[in-house]
Amino acid sequence: HYFIQSNLSIMGIEDLGLLLENIEEYVMEQKKVVTYKWLSRTFSINVNQAKQLLAIFHMKHKNMKHKSIQGTYYVSGMRTNSQGQLTHQICIVTEDMLEATKAQLDPVTGVHLFSVQKGKPKE
């Protein structure tokens, strides 16, 4: 079972299941990249609900050992630039670069799943 935060609890379990099925069809069969923004606009749900749905979908498929499902993450935080100035950085990174990117930021101010897709994203 999946942890669903309170703002998803306003959806019926049937609605949640149907949305997850739709994401699966778009990603697995139609080979589309599904972003939280697209999900929010297409299904008229709050962006935070869309982020949570993507996370549930991603976690479910990672647990099922679907190596073909890849996540792309939004990461933000502070970093010192070459002039020694502290700057705010915003990055979109693949799963395999997530931890390395977070390690370069101090502090990390935000991380969330940005999109899911079948296969590794093209640069």
Side-chain angles (χ1 to χ4, degrees):
H1 299 286
Y2 302 107
F3 173 75
I4 301 172
Q5 291 186 355
S6 60
N7 64 352
L8 275 183
S9 64
I10 60 172
M11 286 184 200
I13 197 72
E14 298 84 21
D15 293 337
L16 181 61
L18 190 58
L19 285 170
L20 290 170
E21 285 176 22
N22 280 313
I23 296 169
E24 183 156 2
E25 180 181 330
Y26 288 121
V27 172
M28 302 299 283
E29 294 172 23
Q30 297 181 21
K31 297 180 178 37
K32 296 195 183 266
V33 175
V34 174
T35 68
Y36 75 92
K37 289 181 179 184
W38 179 87
L39 198 57
S40 174
R41 281 192 307 263
T42 302
F43 295 103
S44 300
I45 60 175
N46 178 282
V47 292
N48 289 323
Q49 290 175 322
K51 290 174 190 177
Q52 290 176 11
L53 281 169
L54 278 187
I56 291 168
F57 174 82
H58 188 248
M59 186 177 10
K60 173 185 170 190
H61 284 275
K62 284 296 178 185
N63 288 341
M64 294 171 61
K65 306 290 188 246
H66 281 278
K67 297 295 184 193
S68 63
I69 299 296
Q70 295 292 315
T72 304
Y73 289 83
Y74 164 98
V75 183
S76 65
M78 303 305 287
R79 184 175 183 182
T80 304
N81 67 16
S82 59
Q83 289 85 29
Q85 298 169 322
L86 197 58
T87 61
H88 189 246
Q89 299 281 303
I90 298 173
C91 308
I92 303 295
V93 298
T94 56
E95 282 180 67
D96 57 337
M97 294 300 299
L98 180 61
E99 293 307 317
T101 302
K102 287 172 29 180
Q104 295 174 6
L105 303 172
D106 187 23
V108 173
T109 57
V111 177
H112 67 78
L113 191 59
F114 182 81
S115 68
V116 293
Q117 60 274 325
K118 189 171 182 177
K120 189 163 177 117
K122 296 180 172 97
E123 296 295 321

